[in-house]
Amino acid sequence: MEKKIKNSFIKSKYLSNKHLNYFDVYDDLFKDYIDKDITFVEVGVLNGGSLFMWRDYFGPKARIIGIDLNPAAKKFENDGFEIFIGDQEKPEFWNDFFKQVGMIDILLDDGGHTNNQQIITALNSIKNIKDEGLLIIEDTHASYMKEFGNPSDSSFINFAKKNVDYINYRFPNIGEVKEIFYRNVFSIFFYESIVCYKINRMFCKKNIPVKNQGENLKHKDFRYGDPDKEDTLNELKRALEIYE
Ligand SMILES: C[S@@+](CC[C@H](N)C(=O)[O-])C[C@H]1O[C@@H](n2cnc3c(N)ncnc32)[C@H](O)[C@@H]1O
C-alpha cells in the first residue's frame, strides 16, 4: 500500500501543528524520497511532533535534522534526531550550519514565517541543496497577513514571484541574470501556502535554439494570416513596424 504522510502525522507521539491541505502537497513532493538515504532538515521543531512524522514517513535511513531558536528542542537528540539551535534570520547561522552538516537533500521551512526569515533561509540554503533536492517554504499565507507586516512589496511571495523571472531569464537576452537562480533552480512550484524550489544544476543551462534534420516543407507561417494575401501583408508590415 502507498505510504501517506497523514498516517505518520496521526501516529506521531508528540504534538505537531500543520494544515490539512499540506498532506497532499507533501505526498506529491516527498514520495520519491521514502526509504532513501537522504538528509532532511526542518526549521521549526516546537513540540517535536513533525520530527517523528518525518522519521516514520522517510524511514530509518533518513538523516533528520531540526533547527529551532528554542534550546528545549535539544531534547530530541535522545531520539536520534540532530538538533541545531540558532536563528534562521542570520546568514552566519546558515554558514556555520552547512559547514557542519554538508550538502542536504530537502529543507522545509516551518519556522517563524516572517518575510526576512523565509527569504534569508531560501537565499542561504539553495546552494547547499543537492541536485534533485528540494527547498520548501511553508505557511506562505503569512505573505498576506497583517501580523507579518503584509501584504507588502517585500513579502516572501513577491520574492518568489520575482524568482520566476530569473528562471525565465535563462532564455538569452531578455533580462538580468541572478546567479543563484540561474545556476541552481530548475523550477519553482506554487501550492496553496507552500512554495517549492526544485534544485538541479544539470538543467540550469542557458537556452539555445535547435533544429532537427527533418524535411522542410516550406509551409507558410500564418501567425498574421496568409502572407500571400494583400491585407495580410499590410497587417504583417504594421505588426513589424510596431515591433521595431
Ligand atoms: C510552527 S512552529 C514549528 C512546528 C513544527 N514544525 C510542527 O510541525 O509541529 C515554529 C517554530 O519555529 C521556531 N522559530 C521561530 N522563529 C525562529 C527563528 N528565527 N529561527 C529558528 N527557529 C525559529 C519557534 O521557536 C517554533 O518552535
Side-chain angles (χ1 to χ4, degrees), residues 126 131 166-167 169-170 179-187 198-207:
I126 283 173
D131 284 336
Y166 298 135
I167 304 287
Y169 294 164
R170 283 201 285 267
E179 282 296 307
I180 190 162
F181 298 99
Y182 184 94
R183 303 240 171 257
N184 301 280
V185 180
F186 176 42
S187 56
K198 292 206 171 189
I199 309 300
N200 202 326
R201 286 138 197 114
M202 287 178 300
F203 302 139
C204 287
K205 296 177 193 121
K206 183 177 242 174
N207 208 351

Side-chain angles (χ1 to χ4, degrees), residues 4-37:
K4 292 279 177 196
I5 191 82
K6 201 166 158 201
N7 296 332
S8 305
F9 173 75
I10 291 164
K11 268 199 241 166
S12 177
K13 67 172 176 170
Y14 292 112
L15 178 68
S16 169
N17 301 304
K18 294 288 185 191
H19 292 92
L20 193 59
N21 288 352
Y22 292 4
F23 300 115
D24 292 329
V25 180
Y26 294 151
D27 284 329
D28 188 34
L29 291 174
F30 296 152
K31 58 183 180 310
D32 294 339
Y33 300 89
I34 297 171
D35 289 329
K36 300 268 163 64
D37 190 4

Side-chain angles (χ1 to χ4, degrees), residues 45 70-79 81-85:
V45 172
N70 184 350
K74 276 276 179 194
K75 153 188 173 47
F76 300 109
E77 285 181 339
N78 298 326
D79 299 290
F81 301 105
E82 290 173 56
I83 303 294
F84 287 76
I85 302 303

Side-chain angles (χ1 to χ4, degrees), residues 35-212:
D35 289 329
K36 300 268 163 64
D37 190 4
I38 57 161
T39 301
F40 178 93
V41 179
E42 183 172 35
V43 183
V45 172
L46 200 62
N47 294 294
S50 52
L51 291 178
F52 287 81
M53 169 176 85
W54 302 127
R55 167 63 67 224
D56 183 70
Y57 184 73
F58 290 116
K61 287 194 219 149
R63 178 185 181 195
I64 295 178
I65 303 177
I67 295 173
D68 209 290
L69 269 179
N70 184 350
K74 276 276 179 194
K75 153 188 173 47
F76 300 109
E77 285 181 339
N78 298 326
D79 299 290
F81 301 105
E82 290 173 56
I83 303 294
F84 287 76
I85 302 303
D87 185 351
Q88 68 175 138
E89 200 169 337
K90 295 214 165 90
E92 315 84 80
F93 165 76
W94 289 112
N95 271 342
D96 197 44
F97 174 81
F98 285 114
K99 247 187 228 150
Q100 290 185 61
V101 167
M103 296 284 280
I104 63 168
D105 295 277
I106 302 174
L107 186 140
L108 177 86
D109 179 4
D110 184 23
H113 312 316
T114 67
N115 298 329
N116 272 353
Q117 286 165 352
Q118 293 177 330
I119 292 169
I120 289 169
T121 299
L123 288 174
N124 286 276
S125 55
I126 283 173
K127 281 194 278 188
N128 297 289
I129 297 175
K130 294 179 200 167
D131 284 336
E132 299 185 356
L134 308 173
L135 162 69
I136 297 147
I137 308 293
E138 190 165 288
D139 291 342
T140 54
H141 45 246
S143 285
Y144 305 87
M145 292 178 167
K146 256 198 186 141
E147 64 181 285
F148 291 93
N150 292 319
S152 91
D153 289 347
S154 46
S155 70
F156 173 79
I157 210 76
N158 279 329
F159 164 84
K161 287 182 197 168
K162 181 68 193 157
N163 298 165
V164 176
D165 293 337
Y166 298 135
I167 304 287
N168 278 325
Y169 294 164
R170 283 201 285 267
F171 192 88
N173 307 320
I174 57 168
E176 175 206 357
V177 167
K178 278 264 191 276
E179 282 296 307
I180 190 162
F181 298 99
Y182 184 94
R183 303 240 171 257
N184 301 280
V185 180
F186 176 42
S187 56
I188 306 176
F189 287 68
F190 288 81
Y191 299 86
E192 181 244 298
S193 300
I194 294 179
V195 175
C196 172
Y197 294 75
K198 292 206 171 189
I199 309 300
N200 202 326
R201 286 138 197 114
M202 287 178 300
F203 302 139
C204 287
K205 296 177 193 121
K206 183 177 242 174
N207 208 351
I208 45 172
V210 287
K211 276 184 189 173
N212 64 8

